[in-house]
Structure formats: structure tokens, C-alpha cells
Amino acid sequence: MVGLLDGDDVNFDLKPEEQDFEHEVEAFLRENASPEVMDPHPEQLSQTVDTLPKRAFMRKLAERGWLGMSWPKEYGGGELSGIYDFVLTEALSRHGAPQPGKGVGIVGKTIIRHGNAKLKEYFLPRIIRGEIEFAIGYSEPQSGSDAASMQLQAKKVEGGWKLDGHKIWTTSAHFADWYWVGARTDPDEKHGGITLFLVEMDHPGLSIHATWTIGDERTNEVFFDDVFVSDDFVVGEVNKGWRYICEALDLERFAMMPVGPLEEKVAALVDWARNKKRDDEPMRKDPETRRRVAQAVTQLEVARMLQRRVISEALQDRVPTVESSRYKLYMNELGQRVANWALDLMGAAGQLKPGDPDAPVGGRFERSYRYTVVDTIGGGTSEIQKNIIAQRGLGLPRNF
Ligand SMILES: Cc1cc2nc3c(=O)[nH]c(=O)nc-3n(C[C@H](O)[C@H](O)[C@H](O)COP(=O)(O)OP(=O)(O)OC[C@H]3O[C@@H](n4cnc5c(N)ncnc54)[C@H](O)[C@@H]3O)c2cc1C
């Protein structure tokens, strides 16, 4: 049982049946290892389902019954503990494989709780069969950290709504099938004036433009021009969207922010230090190298423990808001430290990019140095995590 107090002991081990599941997933991932599906240098936010081979891989996960393991049986789920979703996500992330989090977690679980019969009938079977991909649209040019200030306008018309406006940072919009999007249905209310809609991504009123990040990943700007959405595709009740957005984040704790990519990076750094020579001297004898590697390994263990706190809280049906913020802040900033240390130790060659035959560790840390900046922004910036820890965890006053 992960992270639960057991008498006087804290026992972080998985139960035997959960360990069996972990071994089964590992064996499956080794059998299905493929450069078309798995990113050899994954980062925390990077595993999308953006190509046909990755979609085929997702359907294989579905055939094994691994999508929707914690959903109720009446919707095709397995009614298993969320720990199984966690074990699956961690294993996928370690191997750089695509992840089902958005469909199964954010969209699927919210539709199960609040969706009308039509949404349930259409979306839930397709999600659980691994046939459908979603993009999530909350952020706008003037609404990022304060997403509840979103202004994309939804006007009531006969039989539905007309959406007009502009979203930014919609990752996956260029390949997703459906858009899970928040819009303002009441201009006089802030949190109580937002409604969630599902929009077909190939709607003629949507235009999608690429935004490339410093970490070489594509995200998108999306413009809405008279986009009609039928009443059937309103999620839950009108003006309750903000509640569902927050709830979905809480439901998503198991599938968010795996530590696997960081574990793999620290292992690659240790391996490099163990085998590399400089001026005919093994790097492993260099005191600075030993100090940095020891720090990386030790701090990785701290990140794992913080993550287990999140899971332990969620398994007891508590909302791990402060625990999640502590873990995200620490893990993302550790990712940056590890990339910095690696580049310092590797010297000038560390700056060679992936694809250059002379790049140490295949250029992994050069890319990571850039990508880890992105990790500290997506899913809520480090400053916002610090605010949550200060206000909700420590009871300090708001900073503005
Ligand atoms: C690669 C990537 C993928 C993304 N994918 C999606 C997606 O799929 N869907 C989606 O909806 N969004 C997505 N986002 C958007 C992401 O959630 C926002 O970028 C993030 O919430 C920050 O908002 P912002 O960029 O508008 O920055 P701002 O909110 O404008 O913040 C600017 C700076 O001010 C700081 N700041 C803001 N408010 C405070 C405060 N109260 N106290 C202290 N400091 C503060 C921030 O920390 C930051 O340093 C993605 C972002 C990135 C980078």
C-alpha cells in the first residue's frame, strides 16, 4: 500500500497484486518497444498521441483493459483502485510511451459524473477503446494562471451556442479529434459564468496555428469564428464549467506529472559519469562529478517521496492540493537542476543538440535544459505552486 501509515511503519511498497500488474506492464512495454511510439528522451509533459503508430499503441492498451481501469463497471471500466492508473502512467512515462490521461482522466471522468446520456453514449466507449483524442482549451492570451478570467464568448442561439474568440497553448489541437473547451456564458460572473463544451476539432469555424516551444514541442493558438455547438455538447450544467474544471484536476492526480522521465534522466547521468573519461581520468573519480551525481540521486528520492504523499492522500479520497503543488514545484525545479548539472559536467560538448553524433548521451541534456523550462509553466507555473503552498498549506496571506 503506497504511503499509508501501517501501525508505526510507513510502507511505500505496492501490494503483491499491484507489483504483478507493474511487471505485466513492463513486459508489455519491452515487447512493444518501438522508436515510432516511444520517445527515447521523454520529459514530464511530452508524451502525446500524435501519430498513427501511437494511436495503434493506445488501442493495444485498450485491448488489455488498461484504459479506464478505475471507471465504474457500467461504463466499461474495471472499478480498480486509482493506484493501477498510477502504475500504468509511471511505466509508460519511463519508456517515453504515449499516455491516455486526458481522455480517460479529465474528459471521461467528468462525463461520467456530469455528462448527459448522449455524451456518455458517444464518448465513453470510444475513450475506453482508445479511439479518440482530445485537446484541452482553457488558456487565452489574457487568462493563463488566472484561467477563470477566460473570455472566449459563447452566445445562446436556437438549439445551441455560437462560440467566438481565441485560445492559446492548446496542446494537441493539430491532431486531436475533439476540443474540450471552456467559454464565457455569463459576462457578469467570473467563476460562475463559465461553461464547458465539446467541439469537433475539424469544425470549419476553427483555425489552428502552430506555436513552437523552447523544448521543440508544438502547441497551438486556436481562433473561433462563429462556431456553432449544439446543446447536446454542453458538458453538465451551463455556468458550472469552472467547478468541473477544478474537479477534473482533482480527479487527475494519479495520471498527472509522472516522475518516470526524471528517473530515466538521473539514471542516464549516473551511467555517463560512471563510464566517461576526461584527460584519461575516469569522471567517477572527480569530486565535483561525485558531488553532483550524489545530489541528483538523493533529491530524486525526495521527489519520489513527495509524489507518494500525493498518491497516499488521493487514495484516501482526500484532495491533495498542497501535496500536489509541493511535488510539482520540487520535481520540475529538480529537473532543471539536473539538466544544469549535466551540462556543467559535460563542458562545451554538452551543448551539442540531439542528432549530433558527438553529443553526449545523444544530446539528451541539451534538450532537457530547454524543455525543463516548459515543465515549470505547463499545468500551473512554479510561482502559482508557491502561492498555493503559502496560502493553503501555511495559512499565509495572499500576495496580491
Ligand atoms: C508547453 C505548454 C503546453 C500547454 N498546454 C496547455 C493546454 O493544452 N491547454 C491549456 O488550456 N493551457 C495550456 N498551457 C497553458 C498553461 O497552463 C499556462 O501557460 C500557465 O498556466 C501560465 O499562464 P500564462 O502563460 O498566461 O502566464 P501568466 O499567468 O501570464 O504568468 C506570467 C508570469 O507571472 C507569474 N504569475 C502569474 N500570476 C501570479 C501570481 N498570482 N503570483 C505570482 N506570480 C504570478 C507566473 O508564474 C509567470 O511567471 C500550456 C502551456 C505550455 C507552456
Side-chain angles (χ1 to χ4, degrees):
M1 180 121 19
V2 170
L4 292 183
L5 288 171
D6 183 10
D8 288 330
D9 300 325
V10 178
N11 181 1
F12 286 128
D13 292 338
L14 295 172
K15 290 178 187 163
E17 59 275 23
E18 294 159 358
Q19 286 176 17
D20 290 346
F21 176 64
E22 190 174 41
H23 296 150
E24 196 186 334
V25 175
E26 281 294 335
F28 168 85
L29 290 171
R30 280 195 300 275
E31 274 164 33
N32 288 276
S34 146
E36 285 185 305
V37 172
M38 292 165 183
D39 177 354
H41 298 165
E43 298 289 340
Q44 259 73 14
L45 293 172
S46 70
Q47 290 112 323
T48 54
V49 190
D50 53 353
T51 60
L52 289 176
K54 288 185 183 179
R55 287 196 177 217
F57 175 85
M58 201 49 68
R59 284 196 298 277
K60 282 189 190 173
L61 296 184
E63 282 159 18
R64 300 213 151 215
W66 292 348
L67 301 189
M69 286 182 288
S70 55
W71 284 15
K73 287 201 170 133
E74 65 173 304
Y75 300 115
E79 271 179 31
L80 291 170
S81 151
I83 196 87
Y84 286 85
D85 291 334
F86 160 73
V87 168
L88 178 69
T89 304
E90 279 299 338
L92 293 172
S93 80
R94 275 196 298 277
H95 288 258
Q99 291 172 19
K102 277 184 207 163
V104 171
I106 296 174
V107 179
K109 287 187 178 171
T110 307
I111 289 179
I112 288 172
R113 288 164 85 114
H114 304 290
N116 60 40
K118 191 158 182 176
L119 293 185
K120 284 182 178 154
E121 190 188 330
Y122 182 83
F123 286 104
L124 298 181
R126 285 172 173 78
I127 293 173
I128 218 158
R129 292 198 299 262
E131 291 174 357
I132 191 165
E133 289 302 323
F134 295 91
I136 305 286
Y138 305 145
S139 302
E140 297 178 8
Q142 303 306 324
S143 319
S145 299
D146 182 18
S149 64
M150 63 176 72
Q151 291 301 326
L152 185 93
Q153 185 189 62
K155 260 197 182 153
K156 188 74 188 97
V157 293
E158 178 72 31
W161 299 78
K162 276 270 169 74
L163 273 53
D164 282 283
H166 181 190
K167 293 278 173 191
I168 55 171
W169 304 121
T170 304
T171 306
S172 315
H174 55 299
F175 60 82
D177 308 294
W178 284 85
Y179 202 2
W180 176 262
V181 69
R184 183 145 305 279
T185 35
D186 184 345
D188 299 325
E189 289 288 328
K190 187 176 179 186
H191 299 88
I194 294 171
T195 300
L196 269 176
F197 296 89
L198 274 156
V199 185
E200 270 178 294
M201 213 65 248
D202 61 1
H203 193 294
L206 292 178
S207 48
I208 299 165
H209 301 269
T211 307
W212 288 94
T213 70
I214 189 176
D216 299 335
E217 192 184 38
R218 178 173 172 175
T219 172
N220 302 281
E221 261 186 300
V222 183
F223 293 88
F224 291 64
D225 183 15
D226 252 5
V227 173
F228 176 78
V229 185
S230 131
D231 284 324
D232 289 337
F233 290 89
V234 170
V235 181
E237 288 178 51
V238 171
N239 290 332
K240 294 270 173 67
W242 184 249
R243 207 184 95 198
Y244 306 147
I245 290 171
C246 297
E247 211 179 274
L249 280 174
D250 292 340
L251 293 171
E252 220 7 47
R253 306 288 168 191
F254 290 111
M256 273 172 61
M257 302 181 290
V259 78
L262 186 54
E263 288 177 342
E264 292 301 300
K265 277 189 275 186
V266 170
L269 179 62
V270 172
D271 199 46
W272 176 85
R274 183 177 282 128
N275 296 306
K276 180 75 183 165
K277 281 188 174 175
R278 181 173 294 155
D279 300 331
D280 285 335
E281 280 294 314
M283 291 292 282
R284 62 178 182 272
K285 290 190 176 171
D286 168 50
E288 183 61 11
T289 306
R290 295 165 73 90
R291 189 170 74 84
R292 294 286 166 97
V293 166
Q295 278 178 325
V297 171
T298 308
Q299 293 180 21
L300 173 64
E301 196 56 22
V302 176
R304 280 202 195 102
M305 291 304 121
L306 290 173
Q307 183 199 37
R308 279 164 195 214
R309 283 263 168 238
V310 178
I311 294 156
S312 165
E313 286 293 301
L315 281 176
Q316 295 171 81
D317 277 337
R318 293 202 286 256
V319 180
T321 311
V322 175
E323 291 80 1
S324 289
S325 292
R326 281 201 311 226
Y327 164 60
K328 183 180 190 300
L329 174 68
Y330 189 84
M331 200 252 309
N332 288 159
E333 298 209 339
L334 176 58
Q336 286 195 302
R337 285 198 292 279
V338 169
N340 289 354
W341 291 336
L343 290 201
D344 283 351
L345 294 174
M346 287 167 185
Q351 296 172 48
L352 296 172
K353 289 188 182 298
D356 188 306
D358 295 322
V361 202
R364 174 173 210 157
F365 289 100
E366 188 280 336
R367 177 170 180 240
S368 187
Y369 184 80
R370 290 179 283 119
Y371 199 106
T372 48
V373 176
V374 175
D375 281 335
T376 64
I377 300 169
T381 67
S382 287
E383 289 72 26
I384 295 302
Q385 309 313 319
K386 287 176 194 168
N387 284 347
I388 293 171
I389 296 164
Q391 289 158 23
R392 299 201 207 164
L394 303 173
L396 297 175
R398 289 171 76 89
N399 66 342
F400 57 94

